[in-house]
Amino acid sequence: MNTKIFVIISLAVVSTAGMLYADSCTPDCTGKNDGEKVPDPKNCTNYYFCKDEIPSDHALPCDAGMIFDNGDCAPGPACTPICEVTVCPITCNGSYSMISDPFDCSKYYICTAGQVNGPLTCPDDKPYFNGENCVKDKEVCCAVSCTPYCGPGIVEAPDPVDCTKYYMCLEVGIPNEDYHFPCSSGEVFDFQTGRCSSDASCITLCTGSTSNVKSTTTTTTTKTTTTTTSFDCANSLICTGEGFFPQCHFSCQPGYFECTGAGAQGIYHECTGDLVFNTDPLYAYCVLPGNCPFHPSK
Ligand SMILES: *[C@@H]1O[C@H](CO)[C@@H](O)[C@H](O)[C@H]1NC(C)=O
Ligand SMILES: *[C@@H]1O[C@H](CO)[C@@H](O)[C@H](O)[C@H]1NC(C)=O
């Protein structure tokens, strides 16, 4: 594949579906005088001091029984923090879980044991991925929070601002700074598999901006041209497009080809374990043999 051309094309396409927003989880001293206090968005019993419109390095706690309200600590009942982290499933938390593409709401990935398959593209009539399905409603599109978050079943969560670090997850929620670790030297954290890796690319999930993010958007979902061949399984494949294609058109077998783009030589893989590759190109990934052939409902 000609990487240079691919990169240029990718950068030229501005994704309309994938957007990232700065979130409400960082203390904000904008327009505040020196010494003024602002709420700790993550903990409503704490506050920050402002100096030169910059919050103090650490949050300070109100006295016991007090909450931070309206610019100062005051006696108050239990309170909820301002910061709401959008939980955007982008890290695999088990086989057969699906993850969103943080930069393109029309794309998603399927996690199988130790492997991330995709991207798969939602169909035109249901263009947005909601974490489980492709749907019509654009509201489901999620923006990755700039605050780290441990979703259910996640063992290591990405650091949204530093691709060389991660958080160990002991419970669901915003992880503690004590569990913030660097990957080994030369490795970056693969936010999809949830592990440090020497071949992952460094992707900063938090852009801290409200503008559209440039992303790698491919324009077509290609259907494999199942020309009337008398044979079932191919030994090699010249790709008709980007994605994953079954080795066998009619029988459910473990083999499949990974394609980086039209004209490329397909790279042969086999599904892990007992899994077989589904023969319906509309649902191009490894499935349990009992579920094959699987035809997605339209
Ligand atoms: C909020 O901060 C206080 C004091 O720093 C701490 O005791 C409490 O556990 C924190 N609450 C949460 C929900 O993190
Ligand atoms: C994986 O994540 C999804 C969505 O966040 C959640 O519904 C599911 O329970 C998680 N799985 C496990 C094993 O925790």
Side-chain angles (χ1 to χ4, degrees):
M1 182 177 74
N2 192 326
T3 318
K4 256 185 208 151
I5 289 180
F6 181 68
V7 168
I8 291 162
I9 292 169
S10 305
L11 291 177
V13 181
V14 175
S15 159
T16 47
M19 292 188 200
L20 286 182
Y21 295 98
D23 54 66
S24 58
C25 294
T26 35
D28 183 10
C29 279
T30 316
K32 300 290 177 193
N33 296 320
D34 287 1
E36 264 191 84
K37 298 168 186 170
V38 292
D40 174 355
K42 294 176 192 167
N43 186 328
C44 50
T45 70
N46 295 341
Y47 61 91
Y48 285 84
F49 270 118
C50 297
K51 183 166 189 308
D52 300 329
E53 300 199 15
I54 295 168
S56 49
D57 289 330
H58 295 282
L60 297 162
C62 292
D63 289 341
M66 311 272 259
I67 60 167
F68 190 81
D69 188 26
N70 243 328
D72 216 339
C73 293
C79 54
T80 41
I82 305 169
C83 152
E84 277 180 46
V85 177
T86 336
V87 185
C88 205
I90 55 164
T91 304
C92 292
N93 68 357
S95 262
Y96 291 103
S97 62
M98 289 188 248
I99 52 172
S100 310
D101 185 323
F103 302 107
D104 186 340
C105 190
S106 68
K107 293 205 159 50
Y108 65 101
Y109 298 80
I110 315 279
C111 306
T112 52
Q115 194 171 311
V116 178
N117 304 290
L120 295 135
T121 306
C122 288
D124 290 345
D125 59 333
K126 291 177 192 166
Y128 306 114
F129 185 67
N130 72 359
E132 274 176 17
N133 284 304
C134 292
V135 297
K136 280 195 181 124
D137 183 8
K138 195 175 177 178
E139 303 306 306
V140 303
C141 292
C142 59
V144 176
S145 172
C146 293
T147 300
Y149 191 83
C150 289
I154 301 295
V155 180
E156 295 179 10
D159 178 337
V161 297
D162 186 345
C163 71
T164 67
K165 292 188 180 149
Y166 66 95
Y167 290 84
M168 286 293 297
C169 294
L170 304 189
E171 56 191 8
V172 171
I174 300 172
N176 190 306
E177 208 42 48
D178 294 346
Y179 301 107
H180 194 188
F181 299 106
C183 291
S184 304
S185 141
E187 291 189 339
V188 301
F189 192 76
D190 182 330
F191 70 88
Q192 294 189 309
T193 60
R195 276 190 298 269
C196 292
S197 156
S198 50
D199 24 72
S201 2
C202 173
I203 294 169
T204 305
L205 295 165
C206 162
T207 63
S209 85
T210 54
S211 58
N212 281 5
V213 184
K214 290 187 173 79
S215 78
T216 48
T217 304
T218 43
T219 43
T220 46
T221 31
T222 27
K223 287 186 185 126
T224 40
T225 35
T226 26
T227 40
T228 42
T229 45
S230 53
F231 57 90
D232 182 8
C233 304
N235 289 326
S236 65
L237 178 76
I238 299 299
C239 301
T240 53
E242 191 189 353
F244 296 88
F245 301 94
Q247 182 196 12
C248 306
H249 293 304
F250 310 109
S251 65
C252 293
Q253 302 290 336
Y256 65 93
F257 293 99
E258 180 188 350
C259 285
T260 51
Q265 180 76 47
I267 304 157
Y268 181 76
H269 297 284
E270 283 185 3
C271 298
T272 49
D274 295 333
L275 303 179
V276 294
F277 200 86
N278 194 39
T279 50
D280 186 337
L282 291 176
Y283 201 74
Y285 51 88
C286 298
V287 297
L288 290 166
N291 295 341
C292 191
F294 175 75
H295 302 291
S297 48
K298 308 269 155 60

